[in-house]
Amino acid sequence: MSSGTAGRSTAFAPFDLPGLPERSGVPPKPIRRMVFVLGDQLDRRSAAFDDFDPATDAIFMAEVMAESTHVPSSKIRSALFFSSMRHFAQAAADDGLRVHYTRLDDPDALGTLAEELERAHAALAPTEVAMVSPGEWRLHEQFAQHPARPRLLEDRHFLCSRAQFDRHVAGRKQLRMEYFYREMRTLHGILMDGGKPVGGKWNFDAENRKAFPASGPQPVPPRHGCPPDAITLEVLTMVECRLSAHPGSLDAFDWPVTRAHALYALGDFVAHRLPRFGDHQDAMWTGEPWLYHAHIASSMNLKLLDPREVIAAAEHAWREGHAPLPAVEGFIRQILGWREFVHGVYWHSMPAYLQGNALEATEPLPGFYWTGSTEMACLSQAIGQTLAHGYAHHIQRLMVTGLYALLLGVDPRAVHAWYLSVYVDAVEWVELPNTLGMALYADGGLMASKPYAATGKYIDRMSNYCKGCRFDPAASVGDDACPFTTLYWSFLLRHQSALAKNPRMSLQLKNLSRLDSDMRARIEARAESIRSGGGTPPQSTMKDLLS
Ligand SMILES: Cc1cc2nc3c(=O)[nH]c(=O)nc-3n(C[C@H](O)[C@H](O)[C@H](O)COP(=O)(O)OP(=O)(O)OC[C@H]3O[C@@H](n4cnc5c(N)ncnc54)[C@H](O)[C@@H]3O)c2cc1C
Ligand code: SF4
């Protein structure tokens, strides 16, 4: 491998692709097409590589500080992106493709993608620049107006194109994932028998989503991670040094960083966890961060895996009798349904979506979201594993960290910044609708038909967290009252007139009407004390932590 990169002092340099000509010493060769590849576009089957000619074309990639700081990206998330990018670039170079690469720690690294593209365009003087259309609105706008005039190509990763989703929306008063999902099943012939869903119904939720018995999960099949190789180790060292104040830890890094790793992770899930996926999809358990989930969202979002192959692997497992239909249908609905649906919602609704704050929430994000240091056992578990692994499963995100932020009334943009920072799979097109829409109801009901508001009793039912907590999930007032339960009633009191218009809230509001005025006053007093930080660590912000 060429090592013409002047000025890199590291003795241990497994990854050493040429930078741009003026600093690498590699003589400039005329380039027809420069393919600019972003960190979440790691797919050589993408439209940017159609007709790629190794004799005349080149790849350009850049690690930039701005993408780790526009929200304070956790160390593990940044490391995953950088390591996956380096592996992608190295594999392309090993296959004989010409690759120019800027590393975060290059002495002349510029810091933003736009600047790096401008410099690469000037240095390599290609006839044209091509890239897959960025998945994030902010970057799409930057590159649509960039002086290098990149040709923005359709992202073929998704089964539903942006235009097709717009057609789905046209003429509908209300968007509901379930109807979209049925259309997608029919259109793509997935889990279909002629024109009918296999098993006679579209949805097997009634058979899924059980809690664990009191004895807990049966021994959970061990998750086979992907231990860091030399390239990843170098990235971990760089991230620890350059992003030392960023949240989270790198000690347990074992995420897939190559397509081969990602396929291995998919196979591991299908073989060992898919058969139990549906049963305990919503259950949580102390000290069990992984359970029966797939842990492949980061691989799909970086485009190391194609959703079609993930869906096909799950359907095949059912057809071969390896996994039951409720588990397989439940899993496929997450990808063919939810994942495609949120992608459509994002592109259909941006940029206005980002401003959504239907419940006028203004509280700051509690400081313990960045440390996990709280007496609330459920939050301590969910945040603790998030900072250690960059991972929590859907119900931990929705009904623990998301629910607390909803009930407390935290400013949606602060919550959005947190989710985008801390998860290895966090990219805005999927994170934002889940956070603003599903968890916080900040879009006024586009994603969810009602706010996912619940007391601590929901968490008690679906986990064993409350057994190890000093609070009582059934109590709404008093020193031991569960903060979720207190804040739930306070939330309903605060929003009752707006929520009264929603028939799906009628039972909850009927229960609220049974509270007498004395109880309401006691709830409000305790809610106020929670909001002002009573009993929890100071409400520091990430800005404080980074300063
Ligand atoms: C507040 C909040 C923020 C979220 N942020 C992200 C995010 O940044 N990135 C992300 O990929 N997912 C996000 N999700 C969705 C979901 O929680 C994760 O996709 C899932 O937990 C990833 O773990 P897994 O791969 O083990 O998923 P599994 O539970 O095994 O599910 C399989 C796959 O289905 C897809 N999926 C499941 N639920 C959803 C959903 N609601 N929306 C879109 N795709 C879904 C994912 O690709 C996932 O890998 C968020 C959910 C909430 C409530
Ligand atoms: S009692 Fe409340 S705060 Fe404690 S774990 Fe249960 S839900 Fe969470």
Side-chain angles (χ1 to χ4, degrees), residues 269 277 281 292-298 300-301 331 334-335 338-340 342 391-395 397-398 402 419-420 423 425-427 429-432 434-435 438-439:
F269 165 68
F277 175 83
Q281 201 177 332
Y292 300 100
H293 292 269
H295 325 129
I296 55 165
S298 64
M300 277 197 283
N301 296 349
F331 177 70
Q334 305 311 310
I335 296 169
W338 280 113
R339 187 169 185 269
E340 296 286 331
V342 300
Y391 181 81
H393 75 64
H394 184 66
I395 290 302
R397 299 186 203 195
L398 183 64
Y419 279 101
L420 193 55
Y423 288 106
D425 51 49
V427 283
W429 63 262
V430 52
E431 175 278 325
L432 187 68
N434 271 295
T435 303
M438 205 184 286

Tab-separated table of all heavy atoms in Angstrom, residues 269 277 281 292-298 300-301 331 334-335 338-340 342 391-395 397-398 402 419-420 423 425-427 429-432 434-435 438-439, ligand 1:
chain	number	residue	atom	x	y	z
A	269	PHE	N	-27.182	-13.064	14.727
A	269	PHE	CA	-28.542	-12.739	15.200
A	269	PHE	C	-29.560	-13.757	14.689
A	269	PHE	O	-30.361	-14.295	15.452
A	269	PHE	CB	-28.924	-11.320	14.746
A	269	PHE	CG	-30.396	-11.040	14.875
A	269	PHE	CD1	-30.993	-10.952	16.128
A	269	PHE	CD2	-31.194	-10.887	13.747
A	269	PHE	CE1	-32.361	-10.719	16.253
A	269	PHE	CE2	-32.552	-10.652	13.860
A	269	PHE	CZ	-33.138	-10.578	15.119
A	277	PHE	N	-36.874	-13.168	19.260
A	277	PHE	CA	-36.929	-11.695	19.125
A	277	PHE	C	-38.292	-11.136	19.540
A	277	PHE	O	-38.381	-10.193	20.320
A	277	PHE	CB	-36.603	-11.294	17.681
A	277	PHE	CG	-36.760	-9.816	17.413
A	277	PHE	CD1	-35.743	-8.926	17.728
A	277	PHE	CD2	-37.925	-9.289	16.856
A	277	PHE	CE1	-35.874	-7.566	17.492
A	277	PHE	CE2	-38.070	-7.928	16.619
A	277	PHE	CZ	-37.040	-7.075	16.935
A	281	GLN	N	-39.368	-8.567	22.844
A	281	GLN	CA	-38.923	-7.372	22.109
A	281	GLN	C	-38.947	-6.114	22.988
A	281	GLN	O	-38.138	-5.223	22.843
A	281	GLN	CB	-39.909	-7.197	20.961
A	281	GLN	CG	-39.450	-6.390	19.812
A	281	GLN	CD	-40.534	-6.378	18.726
A	281	GLN	OE1	-41.316	-7.317	18.616
A	281	GLN	NE2	-40.584	-5.332	17.959
A	292	TYR	N	-32.404	-10.086	23.036
A	292	TYR	CA	-32.609	-10.841	21.788
A	292	TYR	C	-32.658	-9.918	20.567
A	292	TYR	O	-33.219	-10.272	19.542
A	292	TYR	CB	-33.898	-11.660	21.894
A	292	TYR	CG	-33.845	-12.641	23.026
A	292	TYR	CD1	-34.472	-12.361	24.233
A	292	TYR	CD2	-33.104	-13.827	22.915
A	292	TYR	CE1	-34.392	-13.247	25.293
A	292	TYR	CE2	-33.017	-14.714	23.966
A	292	TYR	CZ	-33.661	-14.424	25.157
A	292	TYR	OH	-33.571	-15.299	26.205
A	293	HIS	N	-32.099	-8.738	20.700
A	293	HIS	CA	-32.149	-7.786	19.585
A	293	HIS	C	-31.025	-8.083	18.578
A	293	HIS	O	-30.134	-8.889	18.834
A	293	HIS	CB	-32.068	-6.360	20.128
A	293	HIS	CG	-33.306	-6.008	20.900
A	293	HIS	ND1	-34.388	-5.415	20.314
A	293	HIS	CD2	-33.651	-6.238	22.188
A	293	HIS	CE1	-35.345	-5.282	21.212
A	293	HIS	NE2	-34.930	-5.771	22.370
A	294	ALA	N	-31.115	-7.375	17.439
A	294	ALA	CA	-30.207	-7.690	16.326
A	294	ALA	C	-28.868	-6.944	16.417
A	294	ALA	O	-27.851	-7.439	15.943
A	294	ALA	CB	-30.887	-7.355	15.005
A	295	HIS	N	-28.888	-5.731	16.962
A	295	HIS	CA	-27.685	-4.892	17.076
A	295	HIS	C	-27.064	-4.608	15.714
A	295	HIS	O	-25.833	-4.594	15.575
A	295	HIS	CB	-26.629	-5.538	17.997
A	295	HIS	CG	-27.196	-6.298	19.150
A	295	HIS	ND1	-26.855	-7.579	19.461
A	295	HIS	CD2	-28.141	-5.953	20.051
A	295	HIS	CE1	-27.540	-7.992	20.497
A	295	HIS	NE2	-28.351	-7.018	20.883
A	296	ILE	N	-27.888	-4.432	14.716
A	296	ILE	CA	-27.343	-4.216	13.367
A	296	ILE	C	-27.732	-2.855	12.795
A	296	ILE	O	-27.450	-2.581	11.624
A	296	ILE	CB	-27.796	-5.322	12.386
A	296	ILE	CG1	-29.323	-5.419	12.383
A	296	ILE	CG2	-27.133	-6.643	12.684
A	296	ILE	CD1	-29.856	-6.201	11.216
A	297	ALA	N	-28.398	-2.012	13.603
A	297	ALA	CA	-28.821	-0.718	13.059
A	297	ALA	C	-27.612	0.092	12.588
A	297	ALA	O	-27.659	0.731	11.532
A	297	ALA	CB	-29.622	0.067	14.098
A	298	SER	N	-26.510	0.060	13.339
A	298	SER	CA	-25.352	0.862	12.911
A	298	SER	C	-24.835	0.339	11.574
A	298	SER	O	-24.490	1.127	10.687
A	298	SER	CB	-24.252	0.876	13.968
A	298	SER	OG	-23.735	-0.416	14.172
A	300	MET	N	-26.508	-1.171	9.199
A	300	MET	CA	-27.404	-0.754	8.110
A	300	MET	C	-27.261	0.742	7.844
A	300	MET	O	-27.230	1.178	6.698
A	300	MET	CB	-28.857	-1.104	8.448
A	300	MET	CG	-29.184	-2.541	8.122
A	300	MET	SD	-30.945	-2.836	8.040
A	300	MET	CE	-31.335	-2.869	9.760
A	301	ASN	N	-27.168	1.529	8.907
A	301	ASN	CA	-27.139	2.984	8.707
A	301	ASN	C	-25.844	3.467	8.058
A	301	ASN	O	-25.832	4.484	7.359
A	301	ASN	CB	-27.393	3.708	10.032
A	301	ASN	CG	-28.788	3.404	10.570
A	301	ASN	OD1	-29.619	2.826	9.861
A	301	ASN	ND2	-29.042	3.783	11.814
A	331	PHE	N	-39.829	-8.622	13.482
A	331	PHE	CA	-38.508	-8.091	13.115
A	331	PHE	C	-38.564	-7.372	11.767
A	331	PHE	O	-38.071	-6.245	11.612
A	331	PHE	CB	-37.502	-9.245	13.070
A	331	PHE	CG	-36.134	-8.828	12.645
A	331	PHE	CD1	-35.341	-8.057	13.479
A	331	PHE	CD2	-35.633	-9.188	11.402
A	331	PHE	CE1	-34.068	-7.648	13.080
A	331	PHE	CE2	-34.364	-8.791	10.999
A	331	PHE	CZ	-33.581	-8.019	11.840
A	334	GLN	N	-39.972	-3.922	11.775
A	334	GLN	CA	-39.093	-2.844	12.237
A	334	GLN	C	-38.317	-2.227	11.068
A	334	GLN	O	-38.051	-1.032	11.044
A	334	GLN	CB	-38.083	-3.356	13.278
A	334	GLN	CG	-38.680	-4.057	14.474
A	334	GLN	CD	-39.809	-3.288	15.110
A	334	GLN	OE1	-39.682	-2.104	15.395
A	334	GLN	NE2	-40.941	-3.939	15.304
A	335	ILE	N	-37.964	-3.090	10.098
A	335	ILE	CA	-37.087	-2.615	9.020
A	335	ILE	C	-37.890	-2.149	7.804
A	335	ILE	O	-37.752	-1.009	7.357
A	335	ILE	CB	-36.089	-3.736	8.649
A	335	ILE	CG1	-35.203	-3.991	9.874
A	335	ILE	CG2	-35.236	-3.331	7.454
A	335	ILE	CD1	-34.359	-5.209	9.778
A	338	TRP	N	-41.021	0.381	10.058
A	338	TRP	CA	-40.575	1.583	10.790
A	338	TRP	C	-39.393	2.298	10.143
A	338	TRP	O	-39.381	3.507	9.999
A	338	TRP	CB	-40.235	1.231	12.241
A	338	TRP	CG	-41.461	1.131	13.094
A	338	TRP	CD1	-41.962	0.006	13.672
A	338	TRP	CD2	-42.359	2.209	13.425
A	338	TRP	NE1	-43.116	0.318	14.342
A	338	TRP	CE2	-43.382	1.651	14.218
A	338	TRP	CE3	-42.403	3.567	13.133
A	338	TRP	CZ2	-44.433	2.417	14.712
A	338	TRP	CZ3	-43.446	4.338	13.627
A	338	TRP	CH2	-44.447	3.753	14.403
A	339	ARG	N	-38.378	1.518	9.754
A	339	ARG	CA	-37.162	2.179	9.257
A	339	ARG	C	-37.438	2.937	7.963
A	339	ARG	O	-37.002	4.082	7.782
A	339	ARG	CB	-36.059	1.125	9.057
A	339	ARG	CG	-34.701	1.714	8.706
A	339	ARG	CD	-33.638	0.620	8.807
A	339	ARG	NE	-32.311	1.164	8.587
A	339	ARG	CZ	-31.715	1.228	7.403
A	339	ARG	NH1	-32.340	0.793	6.326
A	339	ARG	NH2	-30.495	1.736	7.289
A	340	GLU	N	-38.181	2.306	7.059
A	340	GLU	CA	-38.502	2.992	5.799
A	340	GLU	C	-39.467	4.159	6.060
A	340	GLU	O	-39.368	5.214	5.418
A	340	GLU	CB	-39.132	1.998	4.808
A	340	GLU	CG	-38.212	0.880	4.369
A	340	GLU	CD	-37.126	1.323	3.381
A	340	GLU	OE1	-37.360	2.279	2.621
A	340	GLU	OE2	-36.041	0.692	3.371
A	342	VAL	N	-39.822	6.081	8.844
A	342	VAL	CA	-39.196	7.278	9.425
A	342	VAL	C	-38.308	7.974	8.384
A	342	VAL	O	-38.215	9.210	8.377
A	342	VAL	CB	-38.402	7.003	10.726
A	342	VAL	CG1	-39.280	6.421	11.808
A	342	VAL	CG2	-37.196	6.142	10.488
A	391	TYR	N	-25.267	1.762	22.889
A	391	TYR	CA	-26.440	0.961	22.522
A	391	TYR	C	-27.449	0.885	23.664
A	391	TYR	O	-27.083	0.730	24.841
A	391	TYR	CB	-26.013	-0.475	22.170
A	391	TYR	CG	-27.199	-1.334	21.767
A	391	TYR	CD1	-27.723	-1.267	20.481
A	391	TYR	CD2	-27.824	-2.182	22.687
A	391	TYR	CE1	-28.833	-2.021	20.118
A	391	TYR	CE2	-28.931	-2.943	22.327
A	391	TYR	CZ	-29.428	-2.853	21.046
A	391	TYR	OH	-30.532	-3.582	20.691
A	392	ALA	N	-28.707	1.024	23.305
A	392	ALA	CA	-29.826	0.635	24.178
A	392	ALA	C	-30.909	0.192	23.209
A	392	ALA	O	-30.955	0.675	22.077
A	392	ALA	CB	-30.299	1.812	25.022
A	393	HIS	N	-31.775	-0.729	23.636
A	393	HIS	CA	-32.768	-1.179	22.657
A	393	HIS	C	-33.949	-0.211	22.625
A	393	HIS	O	-34.025	0.753	23.391
A	393	HIS	CB	-33.125	-2.650	22.825
A	393	HIS	CG	-34.008	-3.005	23.985
A	393	HIS	ND1	-35.299	-2.562	24.099
A	393	HIS	CD2	-33.777	-3.798	25.063
A	393	HIS	CE1	-35.833	-3.072	25.197
A	393	HIS	NE2	-34.922	-3.815	25.801
A	394	HIS	N	-34.862	-0.487	21.702
A	394	HIS	CA	-35.890	0.497	21.382
A	394	HIS	C	-36.709	0.936	22.599
A	394	HIS	O	-36.972	2.122	22.792
A	394	HIS	CB	-36.815	-0.082	20.298
A	394	HIS	CG	-37.838	0.871	19.827
A	394	HIS	ND1	-37.521	2.023	19.128
A	394	HIS	CD2	-39.184	0.891	19.973
A	394	HIS	CE1	-38.632	2.685	18.847
A	394	HIS	NE2	-39.653	2.025	19.357
A	395	ILE	N	-37.112	-0.026	23.421
A	395	ILE	CA	-37.986	0.344	24.540
A	395	ILE	C	-37.202	1.107	25.612
A	395	ILE	O	-37.734	2.003	26.260
A	395	ILE	CB	-38.704	-0.915	25.084
A	395	ILE	CG1	-39.719	-1.371	24.026
A	395	ILE	CG2	-39.419	-0.655	26.402
A	395	ILE	CD1	-40.782	-0.336	23.604
A	397	ARG	N	-34.938	3.232	24.842
A	397	ARG	CA	-34.873	4.596	24.282
A	397	ARG	C	-36.229	5.287	24.371
A	397	ARG	O	-36.315	6.474	24.681
A	397	ARG	CB	-34.434	4.550	22.813
A	397	ARG	CG	-33.064	3.957	22.621
A	397	ARG	CD	-32.595	4.070	21.171
A	397	ARG	NE	-31.590	3.055	20.889
A	397	ARG	CZ	-30.802	3.055	19.838
A	397	ARG	NH1	-30.877	4.020	18.952
A	397	ARG	NH2	-29.916	2.091	19.639
A	398	LEU	N	-37.299	4.521	24.063
A	398	LEU	CA	-38.626	5.142	24.002
A	398	LEU	C	-39.237	5.299	25.380
A	398	LEU	O	-39.751	6.383	25.709
A	398	LEU	CB	-39.546	4.275	23.124
A	398	LEU	CG	-40.960	4.806	22.898
A	398	LEU	CD1	-40.935	6.122	22.124
A	398	LEU	CD2	-41.810	3.783	22.136
A	402	GLY	N	-36.558	8.359	26.734
A	402	GLY	CA	-37.494	9.214	25.992
A	402	GLY	C	-38.679	9.613	26.851
A	402	GLY	O	-39.088	10.785	26.872
A	419	TYR	N	-29.656	12.180	21.744
A	419	TYR	CA	-29.794	10.910	21.025
A	419	TYR	C	-28.837	10.841	19.836
A	419	TYR	O	-28.290	9.784	19.522
A	419	TYR	CB	-31.239	10.690	20.556
A	419	TYR	CG	-32.155	10.154	21.644
A	419	TYR	CD1	-33.017	10.992	22.320
A	419	TYR	CD2	-32.143	8.804	21.983
A	419	TYR	CE1	-33.862	10.502	23.313
A	419	TYR	CE2	-32.972	8.304	22.971
A	419	TYR	CZ	-33.831	9.154	23.637
A	419	TYR	OH	-34.646	8.663	24.618
A	420	LEU	N	-28.659	11.962	19.172
A	420	LEU	CA	-27.776	11.962	18.000
A	420	LEU	C	-26.312	11.777	18.415
A	420	LEU	O	-25.496	11.279	17.654
A	420	LEU	CB	-27.956	13.279	17.232
A	420	LEU	CG	-27.359	13.365	15.835
A	420	LEU	CD1	-27.848	12.244	14.932
A	420	LEU	CD2	-27.692	14.718	15.195
A	423	TYR	N	-25.640	7.297	20.408
A	423	TYR	CA	-25.858	5.944	19.891
A	423	TYR	C	-24.994	5.661	18.659
A	423	TYR	O	-24.874	6.523	17.787
A	423	TYR	CB	-27.344	5.708	19.585
A	423	TYR	CG	-28.108	5.594	20.876
A	423	TYR	CD1	-28.927	6.620	21.335
A	423	TYR	CD2	-27.925	4.478	21.690
A	423	TYR	CE1	-29.565	6.525	22.571
A	423	TYR	CE2	-28.554	4.373	22.916
A	423	TYR	CZ	-29.368	5.391	23.348
A	423	TYR	OH	-29.969	5.296	24.574
A	425	ASP	N	-25.719	3.931	16.228
A	425	ASP	CA	-26.545	3.919	15.011
A	425	ASP	C	-27.168	5.274	14.725
A	425	ASP	O	-28.034	5.383	13.841
A	425	ASP	CB	-27.642	2.849	15.124
A	425	ASP	CG	-28.440	2.958	16.425
A	425	ASP	OD1	-28.888	4.059	16.748
A	425	ASP	OD2	-28.601	1.934	17.102
A	426	ALA	N	-26.748	6.310	15.457
A	426	ALA	CA	-27.441	7.598	15.334
A	426	ALA	C	-27.036	8.350	14.067
A	426	ALA	O	-25.880	8.731	13.889
A	426	ALA	CB	-27.163	8.456	16.560
A	427	VAL	N	-27.996	8.502	13.179
A	427	VAL	CA	-27.897	9.414	12.035
A	427	VAL	C	-29.240	10.133	11.984
A	427	VAL	O	-30.271	9.554	12.335
A	427	VAL	CB	-27.593	8.683	10.708
A	427	VAL	CG1	-26.125	8.296	10.619
A	427	VAL	CG2	-28.449	7.458	10.542
A	429	TRP	N	-31.594	11.185	9.959
A	429	TRP	CA	-32.849	10.844	9.295
A	429	TRP	C	-33.667	9.826	10.076
A	429	TRP	O	-34.885	9.801	9.984
A	429	TRP	CB	-32.611	10.357	7.855
A	429	TRP	CG	-31.814	9.091	7.746
A	429	TRP	CD1	-30.468	8.979	7.496
A	429	TRP	CD2	-32.290	7.754	7.903
A	429	TRP	NE1	-30.090	7.657	7.493
A	429	TRP	CE2	-31.194	6.880	7.740
A	429	TRP	CE3	-33.539	7.197	8.169
A	429	TRP	CZ2	-31.291	5.498	7.831
A	429	TRP	CZ3	-33.649	5.811	8.267
A	429	TRP	CH2	-32.534	4.988	8.099
A	430	VAL	N	-32.990	8.996	10.873
A	430	VAL	CA	-33.753	8.002	11.653
A	430	VAL	C	-33.909	8.440	13.104
A	430	VAL	O	-34.938	8.199	13.733
A	430	VAL	CB	-33.154	6.584	11.506
A	430	VAL	CG1	-31.693	6.540	11.785
A	430	VAL	CG2	-33.869	5.551	12.373
A	431	GLU	N	-32.899	9.125	13.613
A	431	GLU	CA	-32.962	9.538	15.020
A	431	GLU	C	-34.023	10.614	15.249
A	431	GLU	O	-34.777	10.558	16.226
A	431	GLU	CB	-31.556	10.028	15.444
A	431	GLU	CG	-31.449	10.611	16.828
A	431	GLU	CD	-31.886	12.055	16.879
A	431	GLU	OE1	-31.652	12.814	15.912
A	431	GLU	OE2	-32.509	12.433	17.876
A	432	LEU	N	-34.091	11.584	14.342
A	432	LEU	CA	-34.964	12.750	14.601
A	432	LEU	C	-36.458	12.390	14.665
A	432	LEU	O	-37.141	12.762	15.623
A	432	LEU	CB	-34.699	13.836	13.549
A	432	LEU	CG	-35.420	15.160	13.787
A	432	LEU	CD1	-34.866	15.874	15.016
A	432	LEU	CD2	-35.312	16.071	12.568
A	434	ASN	N	-37.765	9.567	15.355
A	434	ASN	CA	-37.983	8.746	16.546
A	434	ASN	C	-37.989	9.602	17.806
A	434	ASN	O	-38.794	9.375	18.715
A	434	ASN	CB	-36.889	7.672	16.659
A	434	ASN	CG	-37.263	6.397	15.912
A	434	ASN	OD1	-38.219	5.713	16.283
A	434	ASN	ND2	-36.533	6.090	14.858
A	435	THR	N	-37.098	10.582	17.868
A	435	THR	CA	-36.999	11.396	19.081
A	435	THR	C	-38.119	12.430	19.128
A	435	THR	O	-38.940	12.445	20.061
A	435	THR	CB	-35.628	12.113	19.135
A	435	THR	OG1	-34.597	11.135	19.069
A	435	THR	CG2	-35.481	12.929	20.399
A	438	MET	N	-41.767	10.206	17.835
A	438	MET	CA	-42.278	9.075	18.605
A	438	MET	C	-42.123	9.293	20.107
A	438	MET	O	-43.060	9.086	20.871
A	438	MET	CB	-41.552	7.802	18.178
A	438	MET	CG	-42.397	6.574	18.437
A	438	MET	SD	-41.586	5.024	18.074
A	438	MET	CE	-41.585	5.009	16.326
A	439	ALA	N	-40.935	9.704	20.550
A	439	ALA	CA	-40.718	9.803	22.000
A	439	ALA	C	-41.349	11.070	22.593
A	439	ALA	O	-41.915	11.021	23.681
A	439	ALA	CB	-39.222	9.761	22.303
B	1	LIG	C1	-35.846	8.168	20.866
B	1	LIG	C2	-35.362	7.148	19.891
B	1	LIG	C3	-34.239	7.384	19.138
B	1	LIG	C4	-33.823	6.446	18.186
B	1	LIG	N1	-32.703	6.712	17.457
B	1	LIG	C5	-32.311	5.848	16.500
B	1	LIG	C6	-31.160	6.113	15.716
B	1	LIG	O1	-30.491	7.123	15.879
B	1	LIG	N2	-30.809	5.210	14.760
B	1	LIG	C7	-31.533	4.070	14.551
B	1	LIG	O2	-31.168	3.293	13.669
B	1	LIG	N3	-32.621	3.806	15.269
B	1	LIG	C8	-33.030	4.648	16.247
B	1	LIG	N4	-34.137	4.354	16.988
B	1	LIG	C9	-34.917	3.158	16.661
B	1	LIG	C10	-34.516	1.881	17.412
B	1	LIG	O3	-34.514	2.118	18.786
B	1	LIG	C11	-33.162	1.360	16.981
B	1	LIG	O4	-33.133	1.196	15.582
B	1	LIG	C12	-32.837	-0.004	17.588
B	1	LIG	O5	-32.919	0.064	18.981
B	1	LIG	C13	-31.462	-0.459	17.153
B	1	LIG	O6	-31.092	-1.638	17.784
B	1	LIG	P1	-31.127	-3.051	17.056
B	1	LIG	O7	-30.338	-2.987	15.817
B	1	LIG	O8	-30.745	-4.074	18.077
B	1	LIG	O9	-32.673	-3.156	16.679
B	1	LIG	P2	-33.751	-4.316	16.714
B	1	LIG	O10	-34.635	-4.101	17.877
B	1	LIG	O11	-33.124	-5.641	16.606
B	1	LIG	O12	-34.603	-3.977	15.398
B	1	LIG	C14	-34.127	-4.357	14.101
B	1	LIG	C15	-33.903	-3.172	13.217
B	1	LIG	O13	-35.126	-2.512	12.957
B	1	LIG	C16	-34.908	-1.128	12.730
B	1	LIG	N5	-35.763	-0.375	13.654
B	1	LIG	C17	-36.354	-0.820	14.786
B	1	LIG	N6	-37.136	0.141	15.320
B	1	LIG	C18	-37.006	1.222	14.523
B	1	LIG	C19	-37.539	2.534	14.549
B	1	LIG	N7	-38.389	2.933	15.511
B	1	LIG	N8	-37.174	3.384	13.582
B	1	LIG	C20	-36.342	3.002	12.599
B	1	LIG	N9	-35.807	1.781	12.523
B	1	LIG	C21	-36.142	0.902	13.464
B	1	LIG	C22	-33.437	-0.862	13.007
B	1	LIG	O14	-32.748	-0.746	11.796
B	1	LIG	C23	-32.991	-2.105	13.769
B	1	LIG	O15	-31.649	-2.433	13.564
B	1	LIG	C24	-34.558	5.258	17.984
B	1	LIG	C25	-35.687	5.027	18.759
B	1	LIG	C26	-36.090	5.952	19.700
B	1	LIG	C27	-37.323	5.686	20.486
